[in-house]
Amino acid sequence: MYTQSFSVSDEPGKALKPVASTEPAELMARFDARIDADGRIEPQDWMPEAYRKTLVRQISQHAHSEIVGMLPEGNWISRAPSLKRKAILIAKVQDEGGHGLYLYSAAETLGTSRDQMLDALHSGKAKYSSIFNYPTLNWADVGVIGWLVDGAAIMNQVPLCRCSYGPYARAMVRVCKEESFHQRQGYEALLVMMKGTDEQRAMVQDAVNRYWWKCLAMFGPPDADSPNSVQGMRWGIKRISNDDLRQKFIDATVPQAKVLGVTLPDPDLKWNEERGHYDYGQIDWDEFWQTVNGNGPCNKERLSTRVKAHNDGQWVREAALAHARKQQQRAMKEAA
Ligand code: FAQ
């Protein structure tokens, strides 16, 4: 349904002029030239401080989203309706944990530490994707998260495979392949339910009704209210704007909803011949900001679960470090 070959401009932000900077002119000119040539910036390369900070912000938020994103679906592992669905769900949730680890590692190459990033998450200072602050009320929610949440994540992340920062771009290639599997398994689980009983079909429709608008908000505020977009596009971090990705997601999803046999809960959703896109209704941005700022239905629960998991895992980290120290000492003794 979504592919790695998603068409992305070869010339990120070329139309945008370099932003005025107080960084050393010669280094800045070399950096701008590399960005203009669609080259990659690697950890050992000089980069402006603002570029580094933007990447730490975006990559760490992304990593936090992956690991907090394990929680709504993780809640259903013990209640999956069959062994097959349980095995798929365990694999999926594990994949999300792996994505968090690649992303934390990519952010660490920018000089920030895992502890700093986790402190920011646990103290409520760091953001993570709004979508994971909503509850998963029935089994169909798990399918809808695969179909729509992973679907939206892929739409946003395929262009990031060509992000100007090498470690982030490379991490995204594998993440997107795994997210494609997640999206398909969710859609397939829903197709099976739609062929089942009236009650199962009603569960799917209920889940779609609750998740549709929240998924559209995942792409971030409208371009006009997105403070980070212009600079992110100029630097080739973001390749496609929030609104354009949202539109691509809607255009791709409407036909899938038809095949599935569900109604997307938007009376304004209509094909616009002139634009060649679907028109859609108003997203509730007040509700989005409430959730982003910590007041969504599950924010407190998600954070306290994460903090508890981190504290409970302290002994594992200590044991791993002690083992590594022992191995190092043994290797040094053997070498002596
Ligand atoms: N939720 O100026 P912009 C997944 C914040 S992974 C919360 O437009 P930007 C996998 C934004 O941070 C999903 N906050 O910002 C999975 C900024 O705040 P700041 C996560 C949001 O960075 C599936 C402020 O609003 N994906 O789902 C959201 O240019 C299933 C202004 O916004 C990524 O993180 C939001 N939805 O664009 C796991 C992808 N939207 O930092 C488990 C990488 C915006 O200035 C199960 N990230 N904000 O204080 C990105 O592409 C970008 O960071 C955007 C935001 C597009 C999210």
Side-chain angles (χ1 to χ4, degrees):
M1 285 175 180
Y2 303 104
T3 72
Q4 297 290 107
S5 58
F6 194 106
S7 129
V8 177
S9 159
D10 282 339
E11 304 190 341
K14 253 196 167 172
L16 299 165
K17 290 205 168 57
V19 175
S21 158
T22 53
E23 301 279 4
E26 199 185 313
L27 291 173
M28 197 64 212
R30 215 177 300 153
F31 172 85
D32 283 331
R34 172 104 48 106
I35 296 284
D36 283 343
D38 199 17
R40 292 286 164 276
I41 307 295
E42 296 297 337
Q44 67 276 15
D45 293 333
W46 182 89
M47 63 186 85
E49 185 53 19
Y51 177 81
R52 193 187 70 79
K53 277 196 176 144
T54 295
L55 282 165
V56 169
R57 176 185 67 80
Q58 179 166 326
I59 301 173
S60 63
Q61 285 176 3
H62 194 164
H64 300 328
S65 304
E66 300 281 357
I67 60 162
V68 176
M70 296 167 76
L71 302 176
E73 288 175 292
N75 281 340
W76 280 89
I77 290 174
S78 58
R79 291 175 285 168
S82 68
L83 187 58
K84 175 181 147 185
R85 295 290 169 202
K86 193 197 272 274
I88 294 172
L89 187 56
I90 290 173
K92 178 184 191 300
V93 170
Q94 215 165 282
D95 282 353
E96 309 298 359
H99 298 172
L101 296 184
Y102 318 144
L103 288 163
Y104 283 126
S105 301
E108 282 174 316
T109 65
L110 291 152
T112 185
S113 74
R114 184 86 52 113
D115 285 345
Q116 278 172 317
M117 291 184 272
L118 289 177
D119 280 350
L121 173 66
H122 296 161
S123 62
K125 272 191 244 145
K127 291 190 171 71
Y128 58 85
S129 185
S130 49
I131 194 73
F132 302 117
N133 291 307
Y134 298 98
T136 38
L137 301 179
N138 73 47
W139 171 251
D141 288 23
V142 171
V144 164
I145 289 181
W147 175 37
L148 296 180
V149 176
D150 283 283
I154 300 167
M155 202 51 99
N156 166 274
Q157 287 167 197
V158 169
L160 291 174
C161 297
R162 301 203 39 222
C163 162
S164 59
Y165 188 58
Y168 192 25
R170 289 189 289 273
M172 276 303 109
V173 173
R174 174 160 176 176
V175 169
C176 284
K177 285 184 181 159
E178 291 177 353
E179 301 288 30
S180 292
F181 155 70
H182 298 169
Q183 197 264 357
R184 279 154 195 252
Q185 68 76 36
Y187 194 68
E188 192 269 341
L190 296 176
L191 277 171
V192 170
M193 287 184 82
M194 291 302 284
K195 286 186 193 134
T197 62
D198 284 349
E199 204 184 358
Q200 285 174 306
R201 278 187 284 277
M203 277 164 73
V204 175
Q205 185 62 58
D206 172 55
V208 170
N209 292 349
R210 282 180 290 106
Y211 271 91
W212 174 247
W213 291 103
K214 320 290 184 222
C215 289
L216 298 191
M218 276 176 77
F219 295 94
D223 294 350
D225 303 323
S226 162
N228 302 306
S229 274
V230 172
Q231 186 65 86
M233 300 277 278
R234 160 64 205 151
W235 279 331
I237 297 172
K238 283 174 98 156
R239 300 266 174 165
I240 304 182
S241 81
N242 298 359
D243 284 332
D244 287 350
L245 283 172
R246 193 171 2 255
Q247 183 72 64
K248 278 176 184 289
F249 174 71
I250 293 168
D251 292 348
T253 309
V254 172
Q256 296 167 13
K258 278 193 190 132
V259 172
L260 196 56
V262 294
T263 307
L264 296 172
D266 178 0
D268 296 323
L269 194 63
K270 215 168 68 214
W271 179 252
N272 182 325
E273 197 61 56
E274 213 173 302
R275 290 199 315 118
H277 293 293
Y278 282 92
D279 289 337
Y280 58 97
Q282 272 298 319
I283 295 168
D284 185 346
W285 291 112
D286 286 343
E287 200 253 338
F288 167 79
W289 287 117
Q290 279 290 326
T291 304
V292 170
N293 291 325
N295 303 312
C298 299
N299 294 59
K300 290 187 180 61
E301 183 188 327
R302 298 289 184 242
L303 265 195
S304 66
T305 308
R306 268 311 326 157
V307 170
K308 181 174 183 313
H310 186 73
N311 293 341
D312 289 352
Q314 181 66 27
W315 71 271
V316 179
R317 293 189 292 279
E318 280 167 8
L321 284 173
H323 180 67
R325 266 194 305 271
K326 239 190 219 168
Q327 280 199 317
Q328 196 183 16
Q329 277 164 6
R330 199 173 298 152
M332 276 164 64
K333 238 191 220 160
E334 277 167 16

